Amino acid sequence: MPSQASSPTYATAKGFCITSAFWMMVATFMGLLGATELIAPDLLENVGWLVFGRVRPIHINLVLFGFVTPGLLGAAFYYLPRLLRTDLYSEKLGVITVLIWNLSLVSTVVSLSAGYSQGREYAEMIWPVDMLVVVMFLLVLYNLIMTVRQRREPVLYVSVWYACAAIVLTSATYCLGNVIWRPNTGALVGIPDAILLWFYGHNIFGLLLTPLALGVTYYVIPKACKAPIYSHTLSLIGFWSLLVVYTHIGTHHLLQAPVPTWLKVISIVDSVGMVIPVMVVLINIWYTAKGRLGEIHADVGAKFVFTGTIMYFFVSIQGSMMALPQVQRVTHFNNWVVGHAHVGVLGFSGMIALGGLYYVLPKLAGKPLFSKFLADFQYWMVLIGVSGFTIVLTIAGLIQGNAWLNGETVYRVLPEVHLYYVLRASLGLMIFTSALLGFYNIIRTLYFNTGEFSS
Amino acid sequence: MKMTPLAILVGSLVLLMTIVFVVVIMPWFTTRDEAPSDIFRARTAAEEAGRATYIANGCVYCHSQSIRTIDWGIGAERIAQAGDYIADRPILLGSQRTGPDLSQEGGEHPDDWHMAHFVNPRYARPLSIMPAFAFLGKDDINTLTAYVQSLGLKDADNRLKRQTFWKEESILAYEAGPVENVDWLHHQVPEGWRNIPNPYPTSEAGLARGHKIYQDFCLGCHGPIGDGMGPAQPYIYPPPLNFTTLKGRGVSGGILYYQIMNGITGTAMPYFKKDLESEKIWEVGNYVAVYFINETDADAEPKGIDAAYEP
């Protein structure tokens, strides 16, 4: 029952959708390039700005801040005004935010490829780029809070909680994790630096991607099913327990490093405890969709989102298991973890970002998707790609981890994992191709949409 | 519970602050004044410059600097301690071992090996998937090498001192001529080992396996025909050995085995005992003896009881 005074332009939502679709192409290309360099290390011999060690952080930061986050925000800037029964506080500010966002992504690519890096995983960007990132998060936050303030709907829906929390908490942890009070290095010294870094790095997933993705899920699934949320109590428990539990567990990245034992114990216990926030949310969502899977299957956006929830189940259960020291003896330092990261970021939050995009795009454009077939095709390519990544990288990781435990050197194991690197790159090619199709489909839907192209 | 904007914003921020206090600030209090470990020393300006190059090129994504109790590879002699890292801003523990851990890499090789390896890693290690870093230029490679040679700090200094001492000795031997050089090389092997022939008979299958090991480990320096003219040769001094100079100069299976197992510290010849099991060392040694030296003592007496697998 929207009651906007004027018909909204959704300029901000559209801007974030296009940002996400565009940077998904660049980000997945960088991943493909890095994967290819691992099987053909002299392919770009002595092209310094594309050396593997610079391509990898570009890939990761573009996936996080270029593809997934803007995709989830694209949906959020559509659902927030509707859930709050008002207009976005300022579309103009929103569009400026999108521009700054893209500027920060361009600066990320340029600075990292030129070798300006702070060398801390997920916190590589140098201080001036950090400042752009902080500004863009604060602008989103301001627009969001002002929209909430002018709302005409007294009750705040779950998606609104998640969106607000994600933006406010990430604004804080980004500053903290990037040590922005030390512009030259962006780092602490020694072991405290490792503890802070993994607190922050883990919360990029826990306090940014996960809540934004759950916000989209809580919006899309009930809408597509035309059913109310199964339980308000579960929504509440899921929300607060996520904030409490997820934030404690970053140190499970450091179980084999000399950090205080009590901190390791906290991280292990709470990693296992993650089963609570995860299952509470999933039970809530899955019971909402119970008996209504046909409706979800009929909507390609909802299909992406629902698949994302299944991936969330797998990645979280796997993550809890990986925090156990006995498991980590095998999985740490090898491709198992890379597989895990891809299920989490591409399978869970990436799938949901794409689902959010495809769900809101027809509403933003006022017309159906340019091609439902292309969107469906992309769904299968991403699903096969990310499942393939998981299988291939898990096998490679098990080979590496067990060989190392058995006393084989890293060098000796390289030929044993070569095949899996080749398979990984081929799957990467699928993901990259799907990003190209997705970009084409999204642009055609928004701007050159002549109506239903195929059904 | 009524979820008002204030409840969400203030509630989540208060939670975050509490948790930051527990999992970041409390550990900071207990770990920030870590005492230096027994191997700790400050880095020189050149080593710091090399560390900046290491960070700029993302070496940390493939190389950890964190030796665990369960490790067997390079540096496994010393488990990481918090006091090793007290000058590291940022700390470079790493999260992947696409390449080996480098915590104790300093002094594992002499500088000339690093130059060949940085110009193109496959010159020194044929199966490596590390990128070539010739684009950095000679100066940056030199500071990067200084940093890598400092990894392990005081332990690295000891190893490097050993490398430097034996580098001078090996150059003297090389420059004295092939006869003296071969004699010097043989005398780096304990006498007992020198007198041991290769106890296993030459077989076609064994030579084929030796050939594969040679290609995967030796070819970069000694070259495909064993003349010491592999792609790493221009960077290495004393240059890689031309195996034909060993002919008729008293080489034995035992000498070859020992040199492959233990390396020749000071020269670019690394030890392979972590990479290769016993059978592989005997077989690559015999491959070199048969094909490049054209003189093998395989299966010669004294060899003891024949091994069970022999036909």
Side-chain angles (χ1 to χ4, degrees):
Chain A
M1 212 169 26
S3 60
Q4 282 87 349
S6 56
S7 82
T9 64
Y10 292 126
T12 312
K14 286 179 191 171
F16 274 113
C17 290
I18 298 165
T19 303
S20 171
F22 174 77
W23 289 100
M24 184 188 179
M25 295 189 296
V26 187
T28 53
F29 177 75
M30 284 298 176
L32 175 60
L33 183 63
T36 309
E37 288 179 343
L38 290 179
I39 51 183
D42 285 330
L43 180 71
L44 296 173
E45 190 178 359
N46 290 319
V47 182
W49 55 282
L50 285 179
V51 73
F52 179 85
R54 300 189 194 178
V55 167
R56 194 190 119 134
I58 295 175
H59 165 64
I60 286 170
N61 284 297
L62 287 187
V63 166
L64 297 178
F65 296 113
F67 158 44
V68 180
T69 306
L72 296 167
L73 284 177
F77 274 102
Y78 168 78
Y79 71 61
L80 284 167
R82 299 185 63 85
L83 291 170
L84 300 165
R85 288 178 209 252
T86 177
D87 284 334
L88 184 67
Y89 168 69
S90 167
E91 289 286 358
K92 198 171 160 193
L93 182 64
V95 172
I96 292 172
T97 312
V98 171
L99 293 176
I100 294 178
W101 200 290
N102 280 278
L103 181 64
S104 88
L105 295 169
V106 171
S107 338
T108 297
V109 175
V110 172
S111 58
L112 290 176
S113 61
Y116 292 95
S117 169
Q118 293 181 333
R120 296 163 86 242
E121 224 169 316
Y122 308 113
E124 286 93 351
M125 279 94 93
I126 51 172
W127 194 79
V129 185
D130 285 344
M131 286 301 104
L132 280 176
V133 175
V134 172
V135 166
M136 76 202 193
F137 271 103
L138 290 178
L139 290 180
V140 172
L141 181 65
Y142 180 70
N143 218 342
L144 213 154
I145 290 178
M146 295 311 283
T147 308
V148 171
R149 279 184 62 139
Q150 68 178 29
R151 75 190 188 278
R152 272 176 276 171
E153 165 62 56
V155 178
L156 296 183
Y157 181 64
V158 195
S159 298
V160 183
W161 316 344
Y162 276 113
C164 290
I167 298 303
V168 70
L169 293 177
T170 302
S171 309
T173 57
Y174 191 92
C175 297
L176 184 65
N178 284 276
V179 196
I180 56 158
W181 59 94
R182 287 192 176 276
N184 289 334
T185 57
L188 302 178
V189 186
I191 290 297
D193 188 50
I195 294 170
L196 175 62
L197 176 64
W198 287 112
F199 165 79
Y200 159 75
H202 206 81
N203 283 330
I204 284 296
F205 309 105
L207 297 182
L208 179 65
L209 302 192
T210 301
L212 283 181
L214 294 181
V216 171
T217 308
Y218 269 108
Y219 182 75
V220 171
I221 295 296
K223 285 285 274 188
C225 294
K226 300 180 189 67
I229 273 291
Y230 172 69
S231 158
H232 177 65
T233 310
L234 289 184
S235 303
L236 275 171
I237 298 174
F239 176 78
W240 290 111
S241 62
L242 181 84
L243 301 192
V244 173
V245 181
Y246 215 136
T247 34
H248 275 105
I249 63 182
T251 309
H252 67 203
H253 292 257
L254 298 168
L255 294 185
Q256 299 170 342
V259 303
T261 305
W262 62 267
L263 193 59
K264 293 182 187 175
V265 172
I266 288 181
S267 77
I268 296 167
V269 171
D270 279 21
S271 297
V272 176
M274 271 303 290
V275 93
I276 296 168
V278 171
M279 287 321 296
V280 161
V281 167
L282 286 177
I283 288 170
N284 208 9
I285 294 294
W286 288 347
Y287 267 83
T288 304
K290 195 179 168 195
R292 301 183 178 92
L293 290 180
E295 325 253 349
I296 287 175
H297 189 255
D299 185 302
V300 67
K303 192 160 90 172
F304 265 109
V305 172
F306 194 79
T307 309
T309 64
I310 297 169
M311 294 288 181
Y312 185 44
F313 173 77
F314 280 118
V315 76
S316 303
I317 299 302
Q318 188 193 29
S320 297
M321 192 180 77
M322 285 162 66
L324 303 175
Q326 286 298 323
V327 177
Q328 213 169 98
R329 282 161 68 92
V330 179
T331 61
H332 198 53
F333 280 143
N334 58 51
N335 278 299
W336 172 298
V337 183
V338 184
H340 174 71
H342 281 88
V343 196
V345 179
L346 179 57
F348 159 51
S349 53
M351 276 282 210
I352 292 180
L354 287 168
L357 289 190
Y358 284 122
Y359 189 81
V360 304
L361 274 169
K363 281 119 185 149
L364 301 183
K367 287 178 185 176
L369 274 185
F370 166 69
S371 165
K372 186 169 179 299
F373 169 77
L374 275 184
D376 223 15
F377 193 65
Q378 185 180 20
Y379 169 84
W380 283 104
M381 285 181 100
V382 173
L383 182 60
I384 294 169
V386 74
S387 310
F389 274 157
T390 316
I391 295 166
V392 164
L393 292 168
T394 302
I395 294 174
L398 286 173
I399 292 175
Q400 291 172 296
N402 284 306
W404 298 343
L405 272 184
N406 201 29
E408 286 182 57
T409 57
V410 169
Y411 183 74
R412 266 280 295 275
V413 186
L414 287 177
E416 296 174 39
V417 294
H418 176 76
L419 169 67
Y420 304 96
Y421 282 154
V422 174
L423 292 172
R424 189 256 295 265
S426 343
L427 291 160
L429 184 62
M430 274 179 69
I431 304 280
F432 171 60
T433 312
S434 89
L436 297 179
L437 297 179
F439 182 71
Y440 175 72
N441 200 9
I442 288 164
I443 293 295
R444 287 297 303 255
T445 300
L446 286 177
Y447 295 111
F448 308 98
N449 193 339
T450 47
E452 189 79 90
F453 181 73
S454 67
S455 54
Chain B
M1 175 176 184
K2 190 162 159 50
M3 293 290 272
T4 62
L6 208 62
I8 295 166
L9 294 178
V10 176
S12 50
L13 273 174
V14 167
L15 273 179
L16 182 73
M17 276 158 50
T18 316
I19 293 160
V20 165
F21 180 76
V22 175
V23 300
V24 177
I25 295 175
M26 270 168 55
W28 180 74
F29 275 115
T30 60
T31 55
R32 75 194 162 122
D33 288 326
E34 194 63 54
S37 67
D38 56 326
I39 62 166
F40 179 80
R41 69 158 170 84
R43 278 186 287 270
T44 66
E47 289 160 5
E48 283 296 345
R51 192 170 197 266
T53 307
Y54 187 93
I55 290 172
N57 291 284
C59 307
V60 68
Y61 300 112
C62 294
H63 295 288
S64 57
Q65 290 185 19
S66 175
I67 293 288
R68 314 168 292 171
T69 48
I70 52 175
D71 283 330
W72 296 57
I74 307 170
E77 297 308 309
R78 191 176 184 292
I79 313 301
Q81 296 175 13
D84 302 349
Y85 301 107
I86 55 170
D88 290 3
R89 186 196 291 276
I91 194 168
L92 298 171
L93 294 177
S95 60
Q96 282 280 304
R97 281 189 188 163
T98 306
D101 185 280
L102 297 182
S103 306
Q104 293 288 331
E105 173 64 25
E108 281 272 335
H109 303 276
D111 287 355
D112 53 347
W113 183 93
H114 280 293
M115 180 52 87
H117 186 257
F118 277 128
V119 167
N120 188 318
R122 280 147 299 285
Y123 289 179
R125 297 283 264 170
L127 295 179
S128 171
I129 58 170
M130 175 170 144
F133 283 96
F135 72 88
L136 289 177
K138 215 173 159 202
D139 293 345
D140 278 3
I141 293 182
N142 282 335
T143 51
L144 187 54
T145 302
Y147 171 61
V148 170
Q149 295 287 41
S150 79
L151 291 169
L153 301 168
K154 282 180 185 167
D155 281 358
D157 293 345
N158 291 336
R159 288 191 288 268
L160 208 54
K161 213 185 289 169
R162 192 185 303 136
Q163 291 281 8
T164 312
F165 173 81
W166 288 104
K167 171 71 83 193
E168 281 169 25
E169 298 288 308
S170 67
I171 289 175
L172 282 177
Y174 174 73
E175 291 180 347
V179 180
E180 289 77 1
N181 191 36
V182 170
D183 191 52
W184 181 83
L185 286 170
H186 288 355
H187 280 86
Q188 301 314 307
V189 178
E191 197 182 344
W193 280 93
R194 271 182 262 160
N195 302 328
I196 298 173
N198 182 341
Y200 304 110
T202 303
S203 72
E204 223 169 287
L207 285 175
R209 292 192 293 263
H211 179 61
K212 180 176 176 1
I213 301 294
Y214 186 83
Q215 289 188 322
D216 290 354
F217 291 85
C218 319
L219 181 117
C221 295
H222 294 289
I225 55 168
D227 59 354
M229 295 300 279
Q233 184 273 340
Y235 306 94
I236 286 172
Y237 197 80
L241 189 66
N242 176 351
F243 292 125
T244 51
T245 61
L246 292 173
K247 183 164 177 149
R249 295 197 169 119
V251 73
S252 67
I255 290 175
L256 289 169
Y257 186 99
Y258 191 89
Q259 304 279 43
I260 296 165
M261 172 179 74
N262 225 32
I264 300 159
T265 307
T267 76
M269 174 73 181
Y271 62 83
F272 288 97
K273 68 170 191 160
K274 283 185 194 286
D275 281 318
L276 298 174
E277 300 92 330
S278 175
E279 183 184 36
K280 290 174 177 160
I281 300 182
W282 284 119
E283 283 174 344
V284 71
N286 200 38
Y287 170 80
V288 168
V290 169
Y291 281 109
F292 303 143
I293 312 177
N294 196 18
E295 182 184 285
T296 179
D297 56 4
D299 212 22
E301 293 298 335
K303 61 169 276 185
I305 306 173
D306 288 346
Y309 74 87
E310 292 180 30

